Amino acid sequence: MTGDEARIGRAVVLVGNPAAPYSRGLRIARALSDAGYDVEIAAVAGEGLPEREMDGPIVIRRYAPSGAFRSMSASYRDPAAVSGVTGGGRRPFVVRAPIAAAAALRRWLFWPHTVRGWWATLDRELAPADLYHACGSLTIAAALVARRRTSTGPNGRPARVIYDAIDDVVGSNNMIGVPSVFREWFARRERAWARAADARTTVNDALAERLGRRWRTAPPLAVPNHPDVPSMAAGETCDLIRERLELPETTRIVLFQGRLGPNLGLDEAAEATLLLPEAAFVVIGFGRWAERSAARDTDPRFAGRHFTLPPVHPDELAAWTASADVSIVPLAPVSENQRLSTPNKFWESIIVGTPVVLGPGLPVMEAMVRKHDLGRVAASLAPADLAAAIGELLDRPAGERAAERKRIATLAQERFSWPATAARYRDLVAVTVAADGTPADITPAPGL
């Protein structure tokens, strides 16, 4: 649809982070724009980020938290600020322990605490829409409130909400250590939100089956975060990483890109790379462990073998990923959500033909790697086992590696790229908007 054609309504994609950028929110927004909607991405204000910017015809607006929960929104700047224990290392344990316990109780009682101030601002300032796409559990409550407040959208039809369960929040790493009574409470709350939505999506079939059972609904539609087909030829390589870091052509690049934090195998991957001759571990990303990763760059043990680069816009990520010889996804299977995950870095690697190395215990990705020969699965997350798996890919003849990259990229672009996935999502939107207002595919839910 061209910009001169009439738009069919207004859609809001709610994103519980600063969207600077957020690839899934951006892809969903572009799919809705292509379907004929005027689209706004409603995100959280972030330090140093503009309140409003454009991605083509899509408006990205960042709303600052307000009200009684404003102070609990600080996790995007300083996680310690939310915990209430900033500077706690200078206090006696008898003081720190009760403060930490009180902060944890506050987080659990007001879950999801980090976005409640943002919800308050959206309730006052978000313009009415015909369709609200809620990316994750941080956004769905705000979308449901907006639907109730809007009632009839700008196009004259009832407003709709799509809940996009971007992960299994109750089974996620963030719930490790949370008492079971609170986890069950969170599960009941999320189930009620999901069932109140007009339609539901998630990121892969395994999570869809799991979430459908928990919510007592039909499985949500799987809308994987497949990348767009890159402009480069299938299997074509780039050299952006070596050029940026001024590394010789003989340096073999092992890449980790995306969110940086605990339980992602970063320490193990860094140690594994030291066991490989003429190899460097390159991290491109953001998150809680960004400073920790950058500090390792200057550690004498890792000098010249470990490099941390800032995050890259999703539209530019293909070329950077194609600059690596191997992409590593060494996630520890510490939660059900992580075991069933298919993170962006996996799709973004295979779409350009970069082979992947996984850790064990990740059955969804492992099945794909083994079925389509997309890389290797390490025997364990021990550095020696990771190095062995990486070495198998790096040590093959150049011609064999080039042919393998082309095969992987060709397969991924045919089967795991965004255009077909976006079309499936737009079909869901069309059905949802045309429905009679009753959330679809709900089965009885005893006890609710």
Side-chain angles (χ1 to χ4, degrees):
M1 179 173 290
T2 69
D4 296 330
E5 296 180 72
R7 311 301 283 177
I8 63 175
R10 168 174 152 82
V12 173
V13 179
L14 292 96
V15 174
N17 63 56
Y22 173 54
S23 63
R24 185 168 182 83
L26 194 55
R27 289 186 180 117
I28 292 292
R30 289 173 176 174
L32 290 169
S33 181
D34 289 344
Y37 285 90
D38 287 317
V39 183
E40 173 186 339
I41 295 177
V44 182
E47 189 173 346
L49 296 172
E51 178 183 332
R52 187 180 186 276
E53 60 181 317
M54 302 295 295
D55 179 90
I58 297 164
V59 178
I60 302 172
R61 184 177 174 190
R62 298 180 176 92
Y63 296 80
S66 61
F69 291 96
R70 179 180 179 182
S71 64
M72 298 185 77
S73 304
S75 63
Y76 293 118
R77 298 184 298 275
D78 179 9
V82 176
S83 72
V85 295
T86 303
R90 295 186 295 273
R91 296 171 176 159
F93 175 78
V94 293
V95 175
R96 284 186 284 121
I99 291 175
L105 182 61
R106 182 176 65 160
R107 293 196 303 273
W108 300 334
L109 288 174
F110 295 112
W111 178 85
H113 60 286
T114 60
V115 289
R116 285 181 174 268
W118 178 62
W119 292 356
T121 305
L122 291 176
D123 194 31
R124 293 193 316 272
E125 299 182 9
L126 184 64
D130 303 289
L131 179 70
Y132 300 93
H133 180 103
C135 290
S137 59
L138 300 183
T139 68
I140 178 59
L144 294 171
V145 168
R147 183 186 65 183
R148 184 167 62 248
R149 186 179 65 247
T150 302
S151 182
T152 300
N155 67 4
R157 298 177 63 88
R160 307 296 193 201
V161 169
I162 295 176
Y163 176 35
D164 186 8
I166 56 177
D167 56 16
D168 175 6
V169 62
V170 179
S172 71
N173 295 6
N174 292 334
M175 294 296 167
I176 296 173
V178 175
S180 58
V181 64
F182 284 103
R183 288 201 305 273
E184 178 57 29
W185 183 26
F186 299 160
R188 291 175 65 87
R189 182 180 295 178
E190 194 222 8
R191 180 165 62 235
W193 289 337
R195 292 170 62 82
D198 298 288
R200 292 156 292 277
T201 59
T202 190
V203 298
N204 64 42
D205 289 330
L207 276 176
E209 291 294 332
R210 178 175 175 82
L211 293 174
R213 289 194 300 271
R214 177 181 298 146
W215 298 339
R216 299 162 192 159
T217 69
L221 177 70
V223 182
N225 202 26
H226 292 153
D228 287 300
V229 176
S231 58
M232 64 185 71
E236 181 182 353
T237 59
C238 297
D239 217 12
L240 296 179
I241 292 176
R242 291 181 187 85
E243 291 173 0
R244 172 71 173 271
L245 299 174
E246 299 182 345
L247 297 173
E249 293 181 2
T250 54
T251 301
R252 304 181 298 176
I253 304 298
V254 179
L255 175 67
F256 181 101
Q257 53 100 337
R259 181 175 60 87
L260 310 179
N263 297 313
L264 300 179
L266 289 165
D267 293 341
E268 294 86 349
E271 293 289 343
T273 307
L274 290 182
L275 301 176
L276 298 164
E278 296 185 291
F281 184 47
V282 176
V283 175
I284 300 177
F286 62 95
R288 285 189 286 163
W289 276 24
E291 291 184 2
R292 176 184 176 124
S293 181
R296 189 180 278 131
D297 296 348
T298 58
D299 184 327
R301 286 188 64 234
F302 293 92
R305 305 289 300 278
H306 190 288
F307 302 91
T308 305
L309 295 174
V312 176
H313 192 283
D315 292 344
E316 302 170 2
L317 194 53
W320 287 87
T321 307
S323 301
D325 297 287
V326 170
S327 186
I328 187 164
V329 189
L331 310 185
V334 295
S335 66
E336 190 63 23
N337 181 66
Q338 192 141 299
R339 286 189 285 274
L340 299 181
S341 66
T342 45
N344 294 348
K345 61 178 67 66
F346 177 78
W347 302 119
E348 288 155 354
S349 298
I350 64 173
I351 201 75
V352 294
T354 303
V356 295
V357 168
L358 306 177
L362 306 170
V364 177
M365 286 189 288
E366 179 173 340
M368 293 183 61
V369 167
R370 295 193 186 283
K371 178 179 180 180
H372 301 295
D373 195 13
L374 304 175
R376 295 291 184 272
V377 179
S380 79
L381 288 178
D385 286 335
L386 288 175
I390 297 168
E392 284 185 31
L393 297 172
L394 292 179
D395 294 339
R396 293 178 298 174
E400 184 178 326
R401 287 188 285 114
E404 190 76 346
R405 291 183 72 104
K406 183 175 182 179
R407 183 190 62 78
I408 292 172
T410 299
L411 180 143
Q413 291 174 23
E414 290 174 352
R415 301 187 58 175
F416 307 122
S417 61
W418 182 246
T421 305
R424 191 161 61 247
Y425 171 71
R426 286 192 294 267
D427 288 345
L428 173 71
V429 170
V431 170
T432 302
V433 168
D436 63 4
T438 302
D441 297 321
I442 289 184
T443 55
L448 286 182

